[in-house]
Amino acid sequence: MAAREGYIIYIDMDSFFASCELLRHPDLKEKPFAVVTKSADKFRGVVQTANYSARKFSIHSGMPIMKALQLYPNLYCIKADHDYYEEISDEISDMLKSYGFEIEMVSIDEAAIDTTGLEESKVVEIAKDMKRKISDGLKLPCTIGIAKGKTFAKMACDSAKPNGFLFIKGDETLDFISYKRVSDIPGVGKKTEEKLANLNMYYIRDLKNANVQALVGLLGEYGSKIYNLSNGIDEEKIVSDWVTLSVGREKNLNEDTNDTSVIMAKLKELSNDTADMIRSTKKLYKSITVKVRYFDFNTKIKTKTLSYYTDSADVLYSEASELIKPLIKDNIMVRRVGVRVSTLMDSSHQQKLF
Ligand code: TTP
Ligand code: MG
């Protein structure tokens, strides 16, 4: 079995937007409340998150406000303040980055940290230290899962919520996942769950012994991915969007949009700024990364490495625009775009080479 070398620490903030609001509305502690879409009025709009007291009344993310009010008529609703949550998210990511590991900010409130190379006891000690810093320093609750593999660590985190800490030893991974439901695999939604149920597969242990070809026939490549996962093989990589030797810029769009021309205009501005920074530090770059954050804070990254070093703004924009195209989708609004260059070299060094 292709077990991972190292442990992944997976951190997910508990009821994140609601916990941020609690910092400035401490009187709401213990009361059921929800953070709702910014433009919402009483009749339109959805719950973005509910605190755990409100969740007891089955109120959850994505639920229309009207429905939530039917479930709990005294529900206190706060309009979302994304800039505020992003500031706090940046504070959390800065703190986590300061440990010096490869880290992927998976979303506004989730991070995956690759501790490969570190001994087991040290991993747990560091993860506890991170939890303490988030809880004592930032006064926010979070849950941490640790396992060999990003998906398994996320599953550990999900199953320990809220305010939890769960460490799955490498040789206990299969035991941990076997009794979980197929829907506990991140990415398995209602439709996949139904398709698997039609084949009498409800638990991960059912997938483990399934015919992999049948799963691929049913779900395409994703079938082989969940087959591997159910056999303890987790090949999901950390996509580190933070490399010490990189330069880049990112910005929110004026408003969420999926208009390609607006997104490309922002990308051009960011590419020019990035190339200016590169030239001012007398560097050349070889790798280009684009980042798109959607309205729901899901973030996607694409990277390309050129066959040569350059400091060109035009090359940067033209490569970045090719990379970003597949990330712009008809039905998903984009909130933030970023461009970053890495694999850097001093331009003076190149002059010596040629
Ligand atoms: P989640 O981590 O999915 O949810 P959560 O942090 O509120 O609760 P928990 O992790 O304890 O289960 O999402 C993080 C934030 O993203 C959430 O606070 C609000 C926002 N969000 C939306 O705006 N819409 C959504 O549909 C979801 C799921 C989240
Ligand atoms: Mg969360």
Side-chain angles (χ1 to χ4, degrees):
M1 188 201 302
R4 280 192 68 90
E5 283 168 72
Y7 284 101
I8 303 295
I9 299 175
Y10 203 99
I11 301 180
D12 187 326
M13 305 302 294
D14 298 331
S15 55
F16 183 53
F17 291 4
S19 301
C20 293
E21 291 298 346
L22 207 50
L23 291 177
R24 53 185 186 184
H25 300 286
D27 47 308
L28 287 175
K29 203 168 192 287
E30 315 299 336
K31 279 192 198 145
F33 75 95
V35 175
V36 300
T37 35
K38 196 172 160 187
S39 55
D41 57 40
K42 197 166 181 250
F43 303 100
R44 272 177 337 119
V46 295
V47 170
Q48 291 204 261
T49 196
N51 71 343
Y52 276 79
S53 314
R55 289 182 198 194
K56 286 191 193 137
F57 299 95
S58 305
I59 296 168
H60 57 76
S61 302
M63 177 179 274
I65 299 172
M66 286 297 277
K67 175 89 197 290
L69 286 170
Q70 278 164 13
L71 292 168
Y72 188 79
N74 284 333
L75 185 73
Y76 191 79
C77 292
I78 302 178
K79 287 193 178 177
D81 176 354
H82 294 120
D83 291 340
Y84 172 56
Y85 314 139
E86 271 177 31
E87 268 171 40
I88 296 178
S89 172
D90 287 346
E91 264 187 74
I92 298 167
S93 77
D94 285 349
M95 183 278 285
L96 295 174
K97 283 168 187 168
S98 72
Y99 285 82
F101 299 108
E102 285 274 295
I103 168 169
E104 175 181 352
M105 286 306 289
V106 180
S107 75
I108 192 166
D109 83 328
E110 278 163 274
I113 297 155
D114 189 343
T115 67
T116 299
L118 214 62
E119 60 187 80
E120 205 170 279
S121 59
K122 196 82 186 140
V123 176
V124 174
E125 189 187 312
I126 285 177
K128 284 188 176 158
D129 195 53
M130 290 171 169
K131 186 156 165 49
R132 201 163 31 241
K133 283 200 176 128
I134 292 173
S135 139
D136 296 351
L138 299 167
K139 308 278 179 229
L140 287 168
C142 72
T143 298
I144 294 190
I146 309 167
K148 286 204 169 175
K150 185 170 145 190
T151 310
F152 298 142
K154 181 174 171 59
M155 288 170 73
C157 181
D158 287 347
S159 66
K161 274 195 164 285
N163 196 19
F165 188 96
L166 182 60
F167 170 55
I168 308 292
K169 267 173 151 334
D171 57 6
E172 289 167 2
T173 313
L174 273 177
D175 285 346
F176 166 69
I177 58 170
S178 288
Y179 293 90
K180 296 217 158 284
R181 302 191 71 92
V182 292
S183 55
D184 289 326
I185 301 175
V188 171
K190 283 262 173 301
K191 279 193 190 142
T192 308
E193 192 183 2
E194 273 167 26
K195 284 186 189 169
L196 292 168
N198 287 337
L199 297 181
N200 283 327
M201 290 191 245
Y202 302 96
Y203 293 90
I204 294 180
R205 63 169 184 271
D206 302 330
L207 294 176
K208 182 168 183 264
N209 302 313
N211 177 321
V212 62
Q213 292 312 329
L215 286 176
V216 171
L218 189 70
L219 304 169
E221 266 312 291
Y222 191 63
S224 101
K225 184 179 166 181
I226 61 173
Y227 175 80
N228 283 337
L229 283 171
S230 61
N231 281 283
I233 301 166
D234 181 355
E235 286 173 335
E236 190 82 31
K237 297 260 183 313
I238 295 282
V239 187
S240 177
D241 64 345
W242 180 77
V243 190
T244 325
L245 295 172
S246 74
V247 174
R249 294 289 307 270
E250 50 185 83
K251 260 193 184 158
N252 282 352
L253 296 157
N254 290 339
E255 56 186 23
D256 296 359
T257 180
N258 57 3
D259 181 337
T260 307
S261 61
V262 174
I263 295 169
M264 291 301 178
K266 183 59 81 183
L267 192 67
K268 183 152 200 158
E269 180 191 319
L270 297 171
S271 300
N272 288 339
D273 288 354
T274 302
D276 282 349
M277 285 196 279
I278 276 286
R279 290 199 200 107
S280 68
T281 52
K282 300 204 168 31
K283 298 230 185 276
L284 303 167
Y285 64 86
K286 200 176 176 194
S287 302
I288 298 159
T289 300
V290 294
K291 170 171 169 178
V292 168
R293 181 179 288 168
Y294 298 103
F295 76 101
D296 58 358
F297 296 99
N298 224 323
T299 304
K300 288 256 187 302
I301 286 168
K302 269 193 174 286
T303 297
K304 173 177 181 175
T305 298
L306 306 170
S307 55
Y308 54 91
Y309 283 91
T310 176
D311 61 4
S312 159
D314 290 343
V315 170
L316 180 54
Y317 173 64
S318 103
E319 295 290 347
S321 51
E322 286 305 312
L323 284 173
I324 211 168
K325 270 183 201 154
L327 303 180
I328 305 172
K329 308 205 162 103
D330 282 349
N331 53 348
I332 313 182
M333 302 295 238
V334 174
R335 178 177 169 75
R336 190 175 176 87
V337 226
V339 65
R340 183 162 285 279
V341 293
S342 55
T343 323
L344 306 182
M345 178 170 87
D346 288 338
S347 45
S348 57
H349 184 64
Q350 196 190 40
Q351 279 155 17
K352 276 183 223 147
L353 285 176
F354 298 102

